Amino acid sequence: MQHLSRCLHRQSRIKLSGGIPSTHYRLGTFYDPVAVSMTQRREKSTTPAYEGHIPLNWFENLFLAVGSATVALKDPRRGDMIAALGETTAGSSLPRLREIMLNDPEGRKILKDHPHVSSETVNMDQLARYPEGSFGRAYVTWLERCGVTPDTREPVHYIDDPELAYVMQRYRECHDFYHCICNLPVNVESELALKYFEFANLGIPMTAISAVFGPLRLTTKKRERLFSEFVPWALKCGGSSKSLITVYWEQRWDQNVDDIKKELGIWDPPEARWSKPLSEAKAAAAKRQQNRVQIT
């Protein structure tokens, strides 16, 4: 291979008929199609396919997967490392999820529209005006109760196919919707319960990795409750419910939460530990609605 490489000579860019690329290599006095094909593949693999894309070869992907897993295990707050782990270990899960979306009318519409979830695309004040019991009102109440925003999701970098990259991005941006519809707060044990649910429902490898190693950070008492109460719920409910990647949540703001759960086949988990009472969150959501009315 090294001898072949030394024999290859770069030729100036020329335009040839028949669809042959303008950049060629020659071996002696003859064009070498193998070398041309290798060069084209190499150039293609290092050219970003979308904004923010960072192409990786197999070794770089493996190195990043191991490194991100190590860092994320030591510090679960490193969202960038968890995101990198999800992308470098995704494997065949994303093509499978895309196929599920293509076979579902709602999923196909998501792939066509490419909606995104952020404070720029979702009007929180408007959601607060939806009636009690609606998904829009439940979501803004959940955000208030957990003290989070929809702007914390890392963009995708390491998935080569643009549409598969969107599938991963869609999963990330809808993660809080899963919290909301499953009535789970943001804490370690609830996050792990949801990871088990997501693995059973979506089959993304990163969720399984988190579910296996995450419990090591829990106290014995919390770990026992996780495996005795939450994991059985997560595996049974996640495995039997409709694939949540196909749900166009943004078009269901006015739909009743209980009706959505019934449609998707979801039931509530065991009671979780919340840092803020529901009454406080509802009051905050109501205040947001009142402020909006006063402004208008």
Side-chain angles (χ1 to χ4, degrees):
M1 180 63 71
Q2 291 179 350
H3 177 70
L4 176 62
S5 178
R6 286 195 298 268
C7 292
L8 295 175
H9 304 285
R10 190 70 178 264
Q11 191 179 19
S12 60
R13 293 181 180 271
I14 56 175
K15 292 186 178 180
L16 299 177
S17 61
I20 302 176
S22 59
T23 302
H24 299 288
Y25 291 84
R26 62 183 181 183
L27 184 59
T29 59
F30 299 97
Y31 288 107
D32 183 2
V34 176
V36 171
S37 178
M38 290 173 61
T39 301
Q40 289 173 337
R41 287 199 298 269
R42 189 180 303 112
E43 290 177 350
K44 182 179 180 181
S45 65
T46 57
T47 302
Y50 53 88
E51 185 178 355
H53 177 218
I54 303 175
L56 301 176
N57 60 40
W58 70 268
F59 178 77
E60 292 168 335
N61 190 87
L62 177 62
F63 185 82
L64 182 57
V66 174
S68 59
T70 302
V71 175
L73 183 60
K74 291 181 179 179
D75 185 3
R77 295 169 298 182
R78 288 291 301 274
D80 57 336
M81 290 293 98
I82 295 175
L85 177 63
E87 295 173 38
T88 54
T89 60
S92 62
S93 65
L94 296 180
R96 179 179 52 78
L97 289 176
R98 176 176 61 182
E99 194 65 25
I100 291 174
M101 297 177 76
L102 289 172
N103 289 328
D104 182 270
E106 204 169 352
R108 285 197 300 272
K109 194 167 190 334
I110 294 171
L111 289 176
K112 179 182 178 181
D113 296 348
H114 276 210
H116 287 279
V117 183
S118 70
S119 57
E120 294 183 357
T121 62
V122 178
N123 188 327
M124 300 302 167
D125 293 330
Q126 184 177 0
L127 294 188
R129 300 170 64 182
Y130 278 95
E132 191 70 34
S134 65
F135 177 64
R137 184 66 173 269
Y139 176 59
V140 74
T141 301
W142 182 87
L143 291 173
E144 293 283 358
R145 194 176 187 187
C146 295
V148 296
T149 74
D151 299 322
T152 57
R153 301 302 167 193
E154 288 285 327
V156 173
H157 294 298
Y158 307 111
I159 295 173
D160 293 334
D161 185 283
E163 192 168 52
L164 296 183
Y166 175 74
V167 173
M168 174 60 82
Q169 191 69 38
R170 179 65 179 174
Y171 155 69
R172 282 185 193 160
E173 294 179 1
C174 291
H175 178 75
D176 287 346
F177 293 149
Y178 305 164
H179 269 281
C180 177
I181 203 70
C182 291
N183 198 31
L184 286 170
V186 177
N187 55 49
V188 177
E189 55 266 38
S190 295
E191 193 65 55
L192 289 172
L194 192 60
K195 284 292 182 287
Y196 276 98
F197 177 96
E198 289 176 336
F199 178 68
N201 188 263
L202 303 173
I204 298 175
M206 178 273 296
T207 60
I209 296 171
S210 300
V212 170
F213 293 101
L216 299 176
R217 302 182 63 85
L218 294 176
T219 64
T220 301
K221 185 177 181 180
K222 289 180 179 179
R223 188 161 53 244
E224 288 177 352
R225 187 175 184 226
L226 172 69
F227 286 111
S228 65
E229 298 183 28
F230 286 97
V231 172
W233 163 82
L235 295 179
K236 187 174 182 179
C237 185
S240 62
S241 59
K242 180 180 179 179
S243 180
L244 299 192
I245 198 68
T246 64
V247 181
Y248 206 147
W249 302 98
E250 300 92 321
Q251 295 191 350
R252 292 172 175 258
W253 297 131
D254 60 346
Q255 191 173 349
N256 183 272
V257 173
D258 292 333
D259 290 343
I260 295 177
K261 287 182 176 182
K262 185 177 180 180
E263 176 190 341
L264 301 179
I266 292 175
W267 61 91
D268 283 343
E271 177 130 11
R273 175 178 57 87
W274 293 81
S275 59
K276 180 186 288 189
L278 179 59
S279 57
E280 278 188 38
K282 287 185 175 181
K287 185 177 181 181
R288 179 191 287 270
Q289 180 183 5
Q290 291 173 359
N291 292 339
R292 174 67 178 173
V293 171
Q294 290 175 359
I295 292 173
T296 56

